[in-house]
mmCIF file of all heavy atoms in Angstrom:
data_model
loop_
_atom_site.group_PDB
_atom_site.id
_atom_site.type_symbol
_atom_site.label_atom_id
_atom_site.label_comp_id
_atom_site.label_asym_id
_atom_site.label_seq_id
_atom_site.Cartn_x
_atom_site.Cartn_y
_atom_site.Cartn_z
ATOM 1 N N GLY A 1496 8.040 -7.648 -10.770
ATOM 2 C CA GLY A 1496 9.174 -6.812 -10.418
ATOM 3 C C GLY A 1496 9.053 -6.234 -9.020
ATOM 4 O O GLY A 1496 8.029 -6.393 -8.342
ATOM 5 N N PRO A 1497 10.089 -5.544 -8.568
ATOM 6 C CA PRO A 1497 10.094 -4.959 -7.223
ATOM 7 C C PRO A 1497 9.357 -3.631 -7.169
ATOM 8 O O PRO A 1497 9.174 -2.958 -8.191
ATOM 9 C CB PRO A 1497 11.584 -4.766 -6.947
ATOM 10 C CG PRO A 1497 12.161 -4.486 -8.305
ATOM 11 C CD PRO A 1497 11.378 -5.352 -9.265
ATOM 12 N N GLU A 1498 8.940 -3.277 -5.950
ATOM 13 C CA GLU A 1498 8.333 -1.966 -5.714
ATOM 14 C C GLU A 1498 8.974 -1.358 -4.464
ATOM 15 O O GLU A 1498 9.013 -1.976 -3.406
ATOM 16 C CB GLU A 1498 6.824 -2.075 -5.517
ATOM 17 C CG GLU A 1498 6.160 -0.732 -5.226
ATOM 18 C CD GLU A 1498 4.657 -0.821 -5.073
ATOM 19 O OE1 GLU A 1498 3.972 -0.988 -6.115
ATOM 20 O OE2 GLU A 1498 4.172 -0.746 -3.931
ATOM 21 N N PHE A 1499 9.468 -0.133 -4.602
ATOM 22 C CA PHE A 1499 10.098 0.584 -3.500
ATOM 23 C C PHE A 1499 9.171 1.719 -3.061
ATOM 24 O O PHE A 1499 8.652 2.462 -3.902
ATOM 25 C CB PHE A 1499 11.451 1.155 -3.939
ATOM 26 C CG PHE A 1499 12.360 0.135 -4.568
ATOM 27 C CD1 PHE A 1499 12.344 -0.077 -5.943
ATOM 28 C CD2 PHE A 1499 13.217 -0.633 -3.792
ATOM 29 C CE1 PHE A 1499 13.169 -1.021 -6.537
ATOM 30 C CE2 PHE A 1499 14.050 -1.580 -4.366
ATOM 31 C CZ PHE A 1499 14.023 -1.778 -5.743
ATOM 32 N N GLY A 1500 8.951 1.847 -1.764
ATOM 33 C CA GLY A 1500 8.020 2.853 -1.262
ATOM 34 C C GLY A 1500 8.611 3.712 -0.172
ATOM 35 O O GLY A 1500 9.473 3.270 0.604
ATOM 36 N N LEU A 1501 8.162 4.958 -0.106
ATOM 37 C CA LEU A 1501 8.552 5.897 0.938
ATOM 38 C C LEU A 1501 7.297 6.412 1.631
ATOM 39 O O LEU A 1501 6.425 6.998 0.982
ATOM 40 C CB LEU A 1501 9.333 7.072 0.346
ATOM 41 C CG LEU A 1501 9.774 8.158 1.336
ATOM 42 C CD1 LEU A 1501 10.798 7.591 2.335
ATOM 43 C CD2 LEU A 1501 10.368 9.359 0.606
ATOM 44 N N LEU A 1502 7.199 6.184 2.934
ATOM 45 C CA LEU A 1502 6.029 6.602 3.698
ATOM 46 C C LEU A 1502 6.028 8.116 3.887
ATOM 47 O O LEU A 1502 6.983 8.699 4.397
ATOM 48 C CB LEU A 1502 6.025 5.900 5.063
ATOM 49 C CG LEU A 1502 4.866 6.232 6.006
ATOM 50 C CD1 LEU A 1502 3.524 5.803 5.410
ATOM 51 C CD2 LEU A 1502 5.078 5.554 7.365
ATOM 52 N N LEU A 1503 4.915 8.763 3.484
ATOM 53 C CA LEU A 1503 4.769 10.210 3.638
ATOM 54 C C LEU A 1503 4.045 10.584 4.925
ATOM 55 O O LEU A 1503 4.278 11.649 5.494
ATOM 56 C CB LEU A 1503 3.992 10.782 2.447
ATOM 57 C CG LEU A 1503 4.576 10.534 1.060
ATOM 58 C CD1 LEU A 1503 3.640 11.097 -0.004
ATOM 59 C CD2 LEU A 1503 5.958 11.154 0.933
ATOM 60 N N GLY A 1504 3.156 9.724 5.374
ATOM 61 C CA GLY A 1504 2.346 10.005 6.554
ATOM 62 C C GLY A 1504 1.090 9.168 6.513
ATOM 63 O O GLY A 1504 0.919 8.302 5.651
ATOM 64 N N GLY A 1505 0.182 9.421 7.437
ATOM 65 C CA GLY A 1505 -1.047 8.649 7.467
ATOM 66 C C GLY A 1505 -1.919 9.026 8.641
ATOM 67 O O GLY A 1505 -1.616 9.948 9.402
ATOM 68 N N LYS A 1506 -3.001 8.281 8.794
ATOM 69 C CA LYS A 1506 -3.985 8.580 9.828
ATOM 70 C C LYS A 1506 -4.628 7.287 10.314
ATOM 71 O O LYS A 1506 -4.825 6.352 9.541
ATOM 72 C CB LYS A 1506 -5.059 9.521 9.276
ATOM 73 C CG LYS A 1506 -5.986 10.121 10.305
ATOM 74 C CD LYS A 1506 -6.892 11.162 9.676
ATOM 75 C CE LYS A 1506 -7.764 11.844 10.711
ATOM 76 N NZ LYS A 1506 -8.637 12.886 10.118
ATOM 77 N N VAL A 1507 -4.935 7.246 11.602
ATOM 78 C CA VAL A 1507 -5.630 6.121 12.207
ATOM 79 C C VAL A 1507 -6.949 6.625 12.787
ATOM 80 O O VAL A 1507 -6.977 7.632 13.498
ATOM 81 C CB VAL A 1507 -4.787 5.462 13.318
ATOM 82 C CG1 VAL A 1507 -5.552 4.299 13.940
ATOM 83 C CG2 VAL A 1507 -3.459 4.982 12.767
ATOM 84 N N LYS A 1508 -8.050 5.918 12.485
ATOM 85 C CA LYS A 1508 -9.368 6.338 12.942
ATOM 86 C C LYS A 1508 -10.183 5.118 13.334
ATOM 87 O O LYS A 1508 -10.204 4.124 12.606
ATOM 88 C CB LYS A 1508 -10.086 7.111 11.837
ATOM 89 C CG LYS A 1508 -11.459 7.652 12.224
ATOM 90 C CD LYS A 1508 -12.077 8.437 11.080
ATOM 91 C CE LYS A 1508 -13.438 9.001 11.462
ATOM 92 N NZ LYS A 1508 -14.053 9.762 10.345
ATOM 93 N N GLY A 1509 -10.844 5.180 14.497
ATOM 94 C CA GLY A 1509 -11.661 4.049 14.909
ATOM 95 C C GLY A 1509 -12.203 4.211 16.311
ATOM 96 O O GLY A 1509 -12.361 5.324 16.808
ATOM 97 N N ASP A 1510 -12.510 3.078 16.964
ATOM 98 C CA ASP A 1510 -13.042 3.092 18.332
ATOM 99 C C ASP A 1510 -12.348 2.021 19.153
ATOM 100 O O ASP A 1510 -11.815 1.035 18.622
ATOM 101 C CB ASP A 1510 -14.563 2.884 18.342
ATOM 102 C CG ASP A 1510 -14.961 1.573 17.682
ATOM 103 O OD1 ASP A 1510 -14.827 0.521 18.326
ATOM 104 O OD2 ASP A 1510 -15.388 1.602 16.513
ATOM 105 N N MET A 1511 -12.377 2.214 20.478
ATOM 106 C CA MET A 1511 -11.659 1.321 21.381
ATOM 107 C C MET A 1511 -12.448 1.133 22.670
ATOM 108 O O MET A 1511 -13.102 2.065 23.151
ATOM 109 C CB MET A 1511 -10.277 1.902 21.704
ATOM 110 C CG MET A 1511 -9.438 1.069 22.661
ATOM 111 S SD MET A 1511 -7.910 1.941 23.134
ATOM 112 C CE MET A 1511 -7.147 2.164 21.527
ATOM 113 N N THR A 1512 -12.400 -0.080 23.221
ATOM 114 C CA THR A 1512 -13.022 -0.386 24.506
ATOM 115 C C THR A 1512 -11.981 -1.040 25.409
ATOM 116 O O THR A 1512 -11.328 -2.010 25.010
ATOM 117 C CB THR A 1512 -14.225 -1.327 24.343
ATOM 118 O OG1 THR A 1512 -15.206 -0.705 23.515
ATOM 119 C CG2 THR A 1512 -14.839 -1.653 25.707
ATOM 120 N N ILE A 1513 -11.824 -0.511 26.612
ATOM 121 C CA ILE A 1513 -10.894 -1.068 27.593
ATOM 122 C C ILE A 1513 -11.700 -1.555 28.789
ATOM 123 O O ILE A 1513 -12.517 -0.818 29.347
ATOM 124 C CB ILE A 1513 -9.859 -0.023 28.045
ATOM 125 C CG1 ILE A 1513 -9.007 0.414 26.849
ATOM 126 C CG2 ILE A 1513 -8.978 -0.583 29.156
ATOM 127 C CD1 ILE A 1513 -8.008 1.507 27.178
ATOM 128 N N THR A 1514 -11.478 -2.816 29.158
ATOM 129 C CA THR A 1514 -12.187 -3.421 30.284
ATOM 130 C C THR A 1514 -11.179 -3.890 31.329
ATOM 131 O O THR A 1514 -10.243 -4.640 31.008
ATOM 132 C CB THR A 1514 -13.037 -4.615 29.822
ATOM 133 O OG1 THR A 1514 -13.951 -4.175 28.797
ATOM 134 C CG2 THR A 1514 -13.838 -5.193 30.987
ATOM 135 N N GLU A 1515 -11.368 -3.444 32.559
ATOM 136 C CA GLU A 1515 -10.512 -3.834 33.678
ATOM 137 C C GLU A 1515 -11.323 -4.719 34.628
ATOM 138 O O GLU A 1515 -12.436 -4.373 35.013
ATOM 139 C CB GLU A 1515 -9.998 -2.605 34.423
ATOM 140 C CG GLU A 1515 -9.261 -1.585 33.562
ATOM 141 C CD GLU A 1515 -7.835 -1.990 33.286
ATOM 142 O OE1 GLU A 1515 -7.368 -2.966 33.927
ATOM 143 O OE2 GLU A 1515 -7.181 -1.363 32.432
#
Side-chain angles (χ1 to χ4, degrees):
E1498 178 178 286
F1499 308 91
L1501 178 66
L1502 180 63
L1503 302 177
K1506 191 173 184 179
V1507 179
K1508 182 178 181 180
D1510 58 78
M1511 179 187 300
T1512 300
I1513 297 177
T1514 303
E1515 305 280 350

